[in-house]
C-alpha cells in the first residue's frame, strides 16, 4: 500500500522516533509499504516520520541512481553496495567519519527543493534488519549520504538544518511555501 508522504510543516517530521522494540507482522507490513511508497515516489530513502510515524525505522535503495557511486564495506572488506539493497535500518546507530564532502540532496518531504550539503564522507552503521538481526557495515558515497540524511529524519532533524546559510537562503521562499501549504491543509482537516 502506498502511504501518504507528509511535507514540511507537518509536526511528525520534527519528532524523534521511538525505538522499535519488536518486529511484529504489523511492522513487516509497514516496511513493505515504506518500500512501495519510496519506489513510487522515486526516492532513494524514506524515514518513518515521512509517513507520519515517529519510530526508528528507515528504508533505503540507491540502485536506481547510476551517476553517483556508493561504496560498502562488510567485515572490513569491500562489498557490492547494490547487492546490499534494498536496505531496512531499524534502531540504527551511526558514526560518520572522514572529511566533509559536498553533494546535492533532495527530500520527498520538500518537493522541488534541492541544495548542496556537506556531510562526512563515510559512515559506520549498526542496526537491526527486518529479521531482527544485527547488521554492521561501513558506507561511502551516495549510500553514506542517504543513510546520514535518513538517520537525521529519525531524530527529527531535516536537511534544511544542515544547509549552509547561503544554500538555506536560496531555498527559503520555497520552504516557506511548502510549510504554509502543509499548515493550511492540516487546519482544514481539523
Ligand atoms: Zn528526507
Amino acid at each position: 500500500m502506498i502511504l501518504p508522504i507528509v511535507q514540511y510543516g507537518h509536526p511528525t517530521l520534527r519528532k524523534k522516533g521511538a525505538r522499535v522494540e519488536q518486529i511484529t507482522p504489523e511492522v513487516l507490513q509497514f516496511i513493505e509499504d515504506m518500500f512501495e511508497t519510496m519506489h513510487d515516489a522515486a526516492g532513494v530513502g524514506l524515514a518513518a516520520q515521512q509517513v507520519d510515524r515517529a519510530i526508528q525505522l528507515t528504508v533505503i535503495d540507491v540502485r536506481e541512481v547510476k551517476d553517483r557511486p556508493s561504496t560498502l564495506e562488510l567485515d572490513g572488506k569491500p562489498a557490492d553496495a547494490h547487492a546490499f539493497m534494498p536496505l531496512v535500518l531499524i534502531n540504527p546507530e551511526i558514526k560518520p567519519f572522514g572529511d566533509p564532502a559536498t553533494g546535492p540532496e533532495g527530500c520527498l518531504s520538500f518537493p522541488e527543493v534541492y541544495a548542496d550539503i556537506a556531510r562526512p564522507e563515510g559512515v559506520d552503521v549498526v542496526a537491526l534488519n527486518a529479521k531482527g538481526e544485527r547488521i554492521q557495515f561501513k558506507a561511502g558515497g551516495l549510500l553514506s549520504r542517504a543513510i546520514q540524511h535518513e538517520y537525521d529524519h529519525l531524530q527529527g532533524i531535516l536537511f534544511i538544518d544542515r544547509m549552509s546559510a547561503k544554500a538555506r537562503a536560496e531555498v527559503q521562499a520555497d520552504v516557506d511555501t511548502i510549510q504554509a501549504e502543509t499548515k493550511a491543509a492540516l487546519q482544514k482537516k481539523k
Side-chain angles (χ1 to χ4, degrees):
M1 184 175 68
I2 293 170
L3 306 168
I5 295 175
V6 302
Q7 298 187 351
Y8 183 56
H10 193 289
T12 302
L13 288 175
R14 284 301 187 187
K15 286 186 190 154
K16 183 177 160 76
R19 283 177 65 83
V20 177
E21 298 300 344
Q22 221 188 342
I23 301 165
T24 58
E26 193 272 330
V27 170
L28 291 174
Q29 180 62 51
F30 180 64
I31 291 169
E32 203 174 293
D33 293 343
M34 289 272 288
F35 275 118
E36 201 180 333
T37 304
M38 177 181 71
H39 287 137
D40 176 68
V44 300
L46 185 68
Q49 274 82 345
Q50 293 180 276
V51 292
D52 194 13
R53 196 148 163 200
I55 61 172
Q56 294 284 325
L57 191 154
T58 177
V59 298
I60 290 170
D61 192 345
V62 296
R63 286 176 296 184
E64 290 300 311
V65 183
K66 310 293 183 197
D67 56 342
R68 298 171 69 194
S70 293
T71 62
L72 176 70
E73 233 180 74
L74 283 174
D75 302 322
K77 293 187 200 96
D80 183 349
H82 282 201
F84 201 53
M85 303 291 117
L87 186 59
V88 185
L89 301 175
I90 298 170
N91 303 335
E93 297 293 338
I94 68 167
K95 270 196 204 117
F97 63 86
D99 293 333
T102 299
E105 277 182 41
C107 179
L108 294 176
S109 296
F110 293 80
E112 309 294 315
V113 174
Y114 300 94
D116 281 333
I117 294 183
R119 296 186 188 268
E121 157 62 24
V123 69
D124 253 306
V125 184
V126 179
L128 297 180
N129 65 16
K131 292 178 187 158
E133 298 161 342
R134 184 178 184 273
I135 53 170
Q136 185 164 15
F137 59 94
K138 271 189 215 303
L142 178 63
L143 180 56
S144 168
R145 181 171 296 280
I147 289 169
Q148 293 181 61
H149 178 115
E150 298 311 326
Y151 178 84
D152 275 352
H153 271 301
L154 303 184
Q155 319 313 317
I157 297 168
L158 299 168
F159 81 146
I160 50 172
D161 308 336
R162 302 285 189 192
M163 288 178 190
S164 67
K166 183 168 172 280
R168 177 77 187 252
E170 278 167 14
V171 301
Q172 192 62 50
D174 292 335
V175 168
D176 288 345
T177 303
I178 295 167
Q179 184 178 38
E181 283 172 3
T182 302
K183 292 207 161 147
L186 286 172
Q187 201 61 39
K188 250 194 202 165
K189 265 196 198 166
K190 274 183 188 164

